[in-house]
Amino acid sequence: MQPLAGKVAIVTGAGRGIGQAIARAYAGAGASVCCAARTWEQVSATAASITAAGGRAFPCAVDVASEAAVQGMVEQTAEQFGGLDILVINAGVDLDAHVVEHSQIELWRATIETNLTGAYLCARAAIPYLRQRGAGKIITIGSGLGHRGQPAAAAYACSKAGLWMLTRILAQELADANISVNELIPGPVETASSSPDPQHSVAARHPTEWRKQPEDVVPLALFLATQPDRGPTAQTFSLMRRDG
Ligand SMILES: NC(=O)c1ccc[n+]([C@@H]2O[C@H](COP(=O)([O-])OP(=O)(O)OC[C@H]3O[C@@H](n4cnc5c(N)ncnc54)[C@H](OP(=O)(O)O)[C@@H]3O)[C@@H](O)[C@H]2O)c1
């Protein structure tokens, strides 16, 4: 049962959390995986855990906001594994406050740079390689906040709203090339980005939600990666229990 045998994937933000779980799952399903994020030790550990389990992976230290670094990541992947079939745009940060408390414009800029510009750069670099294969998948990891917003989440919610629109536009631009572009909304997941403060924990902030571990996102990530070439595109797939 290796539904991704022969496929090559890049997973950004694969050093920990949701991205790490998806990278491991794709490798377990037979894909060769580039594990990308900024912290070398973390992506090395993810790739090492994959190779130790008999899979194929390599670590790539990259800031997705750097055009040159992203281009290098895609080229290195294609060179190492012979092409590219799947891009998971997962790298993300959540640096936020009420708008009037955005005293540091850097918080806004850093959020948009990683979550939206980074996504754009990754997609743009990957598309020529996906086209070469005659088909492909781009999966963007969105957020319910990008659909409905919330106070004290302007930068994050706007970055994810932009990512949602980028998903839909890319899907339209790439439909003729058999490249599907879909958004996966995980809903609340316990990761390093969750607050250590019990008052702001995932459980406290989302009492009615399904509170997940990163591995709970894997079945949907596998589903999206294994759809037919002319399968769903421009869609949002959510694991939440309410709108978005
Ligand atoms: N956890 C949730 O409840 C939840 C809910 C909805 C959506 N999401 C989304 O799911 C994705 C993963 O979140 P997570 O909870 O798994 O977060 P996480 O545990 O903090 O992991 C984020 C990953 O992204 C990487 N990253 C951050 N900025 C980067 C950059 N500029 N360039 C390259 N890599 C970067 C991080 O590594 P480095 O810091 O080493 O670069 C890390 O590997 C994010 O897009 C997030 O918005 C999460």
Side-chain angles (χ1 to χ4, degrees):
M1 283 297 284
Q2 294 240 293
L4 295 180
K7 301 290 186 191
V8 177
I10 294 175
V11 180
T12 68
R16 55 180 189 261
I18 296 167
Q20 182 184 61
I22 293 174
R24 286 178 174 158
Y26 282 8
S32 302
V33 184
C34 166
C35 306
R38 290 169 300 182
T39 308
W40 173 250
E41 294 74 19
Q42 294 189 352
V43 284
S44 294
T46 302
S49 70
I50 288 172
T51 48
R56 277 160 51 95
F58 77 94
C60 183
V62 60
D63 183 340
V64 294
S66 160
E67 186 177 357
V70 165
Q71 188 63 35
M73 167 186 79
V74 174
E75 285 172 9
Q76 198 187 347
T77 304
E79 210 174 283
Q80 192 128 341
F81 293 139
L84 180 64
D85 304 285
I86 303 162
L87 170 67
V88 182
I89 295 176
N90 166 77
V93 289
D94 184 1
L95 314 164
D96 234 319
H98 280 270
V99 171
V100 286
E101 292 163 9
H102 267 165
S103 50
Q104 293 175 310
I105 187 68
E106 284 73 22
L107 291 186
W108 171 274
R109 288 202 174 113
T111 307
I112 301 292
E113 277 289 290
T114 295
N115 297 4
L116 184 54
T117 309
Y120 165 84
L121 291 174
C122 288
R124 200 177 61 159
I127 286 166
Y129 292 90
L130 299 174
R131 278 191 188 279
Q132 275 177 22
R133 303 282 250 204
K137 306 273 189 293
I138 299 177
I139 299 161
T140 60
I141 306 299
S143 167
L145 290 180
H147 290 234
R148 61 172 195 281
Q150 180 177 286
Y156 183 76
C158 289
S159 73
K160 293 295 186 180
L163 181 62
W164 176 34
M165 187 53 69
L166 179 65
T167 303
R168 297 163 72 94
I169 289 169
L170 285 173
Q172 293 169 58
E173 290 185 356
L174 299 171
D176 290 345
N178 288 334
I179 299 169
S180 308
V181 192
N182 289 298
E183 179 186 41
L184 187 167
I185 294 186
V189 181
E190 301 277 5
T191 66
S193 67
S194 315
S195 173
D197 175 355
Q199 273 195 316
H200 295 99
S201 67
V202 166
R205 284 185 296 133
H206 308 282
T208 61
E209 271 294 341
W210 173 23
R211 299 185 299 274
K212 290 168 274 312
Q213 296 301 312
E215 289 67 27
D216 293 321
V217 181
V218 160
L220 182 53
L222 276 171
F223 171 84
L224 291 174
T226 54
Q227 288 304 290
D229 289 348
R230 294 190 76 78
T233 193
Q235 305 302 313
T236 290
F237 293 80
S238 176
L239 292 172
M240 295 194 72
R241 288 171 57 78
R242 63 173 164 164
D243 187 29

